[in-house]
Amino acid sequence: MKKIFVNILLATSCLVSSCTKDFIELNTSKDGAKFTTPETLLGPAIHDVIKRNLNRCLRLTHELMQVHVAISDADEIHRYVIRPQESDYMWNNWYLQLTNIRDIYVGAEAVNSDAYKAISLVLDAWVSSLITDVYGDVPYFDANKGRQLVLQPKFDRQKDIYEDLFRKLEEANELFKTASLTDDEKSLDPLYKGDLTKWRKFGNSLYLRLLLRVSGTGELGAVEKIKEIVDTRKSNYPIFANNNDSAILRFETTAPYLSEFHEYRNVDFVTNSGYTTFFIDNLNNWNDPRLDRWASKKDGVFEGIPSGYPVGQVPSPRSQYLEALKQEPLLGNIMNYGELKLILAECALKGYIDGDVETFYKDGVSAGSHPVGRNCSGQLLRYHFCSLGSLYQR
């Protein structure tokens, strides 16, 4: 027994020695880089968040809102039976990319880039708002600090989180006023190709989205700020002016910017689910032109299947997703011009701003009928706009 114990000690000491010898040297960049340049983190972070959003949009939101239904008893989301682990997917992946987004700010400070500081702040506000809107009170101020050995960050109040999101968007708006990018930096921006004017419009349009979500609380000066932004949108707070300003990652048919839908096997995408009767019937009644772009026909007509069908009575496939959606470049929606117009319509309806509610609303509908708006509004916009209301507002 003594001999075995000595051998274990020797083996352990050898392992410790081998793990620590030259550790610092081996883990030091040979080219002298001490941080990741901000522009190299931008594309992968945006792309990953949008792909994850589309994944949950397809799997959860579309079933819960009766857009489509699984043609199988294996998944019962359409019956509102949701496995607990479903919520882990976005929690883990949003926080993962939030680390990269905040590292963009760290890298921007190191290279003295106001542009990437501002871009990081806008993306931080976007992703952080998704997290708190879904989960409520969450780790925020101490989150993403594993390198500082903050391994159990405290949960923060949603009100405090929103207040800081507004601070970040204010700072971003100021930084964008004088910021600039080199040609090399512009080439690595998949969203706006380095057009900082459009980035600034995105930040302020996002600001309006978040302000409206908390406006019902009567706190954080949300109503007053909404009016200030709208009243000074030409001088100090530029917002989306047309569909071309929309924040959309235009997917490609080759790597690296592939749609989440592109990753699905054809058999999974077009046979495992079908559009619902509720969804198809409504679009048929409206003569909605998007049907031709989204849905296949069964026996020459658009026809859905019932959501919430009884266990063991799986219906036959009817209208399903078109494979063309797997190649659709405009599904990478973050926020678009049509949504902004609907936000303005709601603000006018509530008396926060001046303007004609009907005009704002119809402008939003018209923007959604434009090729850019049409492909990222409607059913896919439900994930970003309809199903994510601030819990703080409730």
Side-chain angles (χ1 to χ4, degrees), residues 39 47 117 138-140 177 245 284 286 288 310 324-325 355 365-366 375 378 394:
E39 65 271 16
H47 181 243
K117 285 183 187 178
V138 295
Y140 175 76
K177 289 180 180 179
D245 290 336
N284 276 331
W286 299 334
D288 197 300
L325 280 174
V365 173
S366 296
N375 289 294
R394 295 176 185 173

Side-chain angles (χ1 to χ4, degrees), residues 20-35:
T20 58
K21 183 180 180 182
D22 299 328
F23 182 81
I24 294 177
E25 181 181 347
L26 289 172
N27 286 275
T28 301
S29 173
K30 298 300 182 182
D31 63 7
K34 296 182 179 179
F35 56 88

Side-chain angles (χ1 to χ4, degrees), residues 185-385:
E185 290 171 332
K186 290 178 181 179
S187 67
L188 293 175
D189 173 9
L191 204 60
Y192 287 124
K193 307 303 180 187
D195 189 333
L196 298 182
T197 299
K198 290 185 177 181
W199 270 105
R200 189 179 176 195
K201 290 179 180 180
F202 168 34
N204 291 326
S205 299
L206 176 64
Y207 202 173
L208 283 176
R209 174 200 276 180
L210 302 185
L211 285 164
L212 179 58
R213 286 184 176 172
V214 304
S215 62
T217 66
E219 298 179 305
L220 302 182
V223 174
E224 294 79 7
K225 196 66 188 183
I226 288 171
K227 180 171 176 54
E228 180 186 352
I229 291 175
V230 174
D231 287 349
T232 63
R233 61 189 180 273
K234 293 183 179 180
S235 58
N236 194 43
Y237 288 99
I239 56 178
F240 293 154
N242 51 56
N243 270 308
N244 292 328
D245 290 336
S246 299
I248 302 170
L249 176 64
R250 286 159 171 77
F251 288 122
E252 300 171 0
T253 56
T254 57
Y257 299 123
L258 292 170
S259 166
E260 170 68 14
F261 290 177
H262 192 279
E263 302 299 316
Y264 282 93
R265 295 180 305 169
N266 287 345
V267 64
D268 295 328
F269 191 71
V270 301
T271 62
N272 284 7
S273 63
Y275 286 114
T276 66
T277 302
F278 168 80
F279 187 67
I280 292 295
D281 284 358
N282 274 296
L283 295 191
N284 276 331
N285 290 337
W286 299 334
N287 293 317
D288 197 300
R290 290 171 293 189
L291 272 171
D292 288 322
R293 299 181 68 90
W294 293 346
S296 63
K297 290 183 177 180
K298 183 70 174 180
D299 299 327
V301 297
F302 294 112
E303 184 179 359
I305 57 179
S307 182
Y309 55 80
V311 176
Q313 299 182 30
V314 181
S316 300
R318 307 303 292 174
S319 289
Q320 295 172 282
Y321 287 103
L322 288 178
E323 285 191 50
L325 280 174
K326 297 179 69 172
Q327 309 296 330
E328 175 55 58
L330 297 175
L331 294 183
N333 180 57
I334 300 174
M335 182 176 183
N336 60 51
Y337 177 59
E339 178 186 345
L340 174 67
K341 283 295 184 178
L342 295 178
I343 288 171
L344 295 176
E346 185 172 345
C347 288
L349 181 65
K350 292 180 174 180
Y352 299 164
I353 62 173
D354 297 327
D356 183 65
V357 176
E358 183 178 0
T359 299
F360 283 135
Y361 180 80
K362 287 184 175 179
D363 285 347
V365 173
S366 296
S369 68
H370 183 276
V372 171
R374 184 169 61 237
N375 289 294
C376 56
S377 297
Q379 60 157 350
L380 295 168
L381 184 56
R382 290 171 184 266
Y383 182 85
H384 301 280
F385 188 52

Side-chain angles (χ1 to χ4, degrees), residues 82-101:
I82 304 176
R83 303 183 184 99
Q85 60 265 34
E86 294 287 357
S87 66
D88 297 342
Y89 181 86
M90 295 314 303
W91 176 279
N92 293 334
N93 289 294
W94 276 334
Y95 271 116
L96 174 64
Q97 292 309 322
L98 193 56
T99 297
N100 289 326
I101 288 167

